[in-house]
Amino acid sequence: QSQLMESGGGLVQPGGSLRLSCTASGFSLDYFIIGWYRQAPGKEREGVSCIIFGTNKLYYVDSVKGRFTVSQDNAKNTVFLQMDNLKPEDTGVYYCATVPLGGRHADTCSVPPGGGQYRDWGQGTQVTVSS
């Protein structure tokens, strides 16, 4: 059965960096929309970034622009989220989510509140930014 798995989370000091990965098993990510979300304790899930795999379509929310970079590795069937200059407010469980391009009316690279257009979700990886 197909699934998504996030990895790369951990504990880092403010100003540090982490690289998260989202790997799909059982299906190709080509022309899927992949969204990154995060959820801090006691708060609702919020979108972070998006990529349409196999294209140059990218999106970042304002709070991470200039600090986070989303990219893909087709051979590894993986999407990465490079997180630099991390801040305490970046702390949370990070999830990747996917939907086929055109599926569930998903035609744009976006991260709507609550996950909106996304169909499949990974289990999440914890990111903690603290001194």
Side-chain angles (χ1 to χ4, degrees):
Q1 189 172 7
S2 63
Q3 63 178 358
L4 300 170
M5 185 176 72
E6 305 95 336
S7 63
L11 175 64
V12 65
Q13 297 180 40
S17 297
L18 288 171
R19 189 179 74 162
L20 307 183
S21 64
C22 173
T23 299
S25 299
F27 70 101
S28 172
L29 286 172
D30 284 351
Y31 297 101
F32 273 67
I33 306 172
I34 299 95
W36 285 98
Y37 283 78
R38 65 189 181 189
Q39 188 166 23
K43 294 188 175 182
E44 64 184 42
R45 193 178 303 168
E46 65 172 343
V48 176
S49 183
C50 178
I51 183 171
I52 301 182
F53 201 92
T55 77
N56 293 320
K57 304 294 185 181
L58 307 172
Y59 173 78
Y60 305 92
V61 297
D62 288 343
S63 61
V64 307
K65 284 181 180 177
R67 300 189 299 117
F68 290 13
T69 305
V70 65
S71 61
Q72 66 180 61
D73 186 328
N74 181 261
K76 293 182 171 62
N77 203 35
T78 296
V79 168
F80 300 100
L81 184 67
Q82 177 68 42
M83 306 186 296
D84 298 320
N85 301 315
L86 283 161
K87 304 175 180 179
E89 52 263 41
D90 295 318
T91 293
V93 178
Y94 282 68
Y95 301 89
C96 65
T98 64
V99 63
L101 184 64
R104 305 184 73 168
H105 309 290
D107 294 319
T108 61
C109 194
S110 63
V111 283
Q117 65 191 8
Y118 294 99
R119 182 187 69 189
D120 299 316
W121 294 76
Q123 296 177 354
T125 185
Q126 177 70 47
V127 172
T128 303
V129 185
S130 176
S131 298

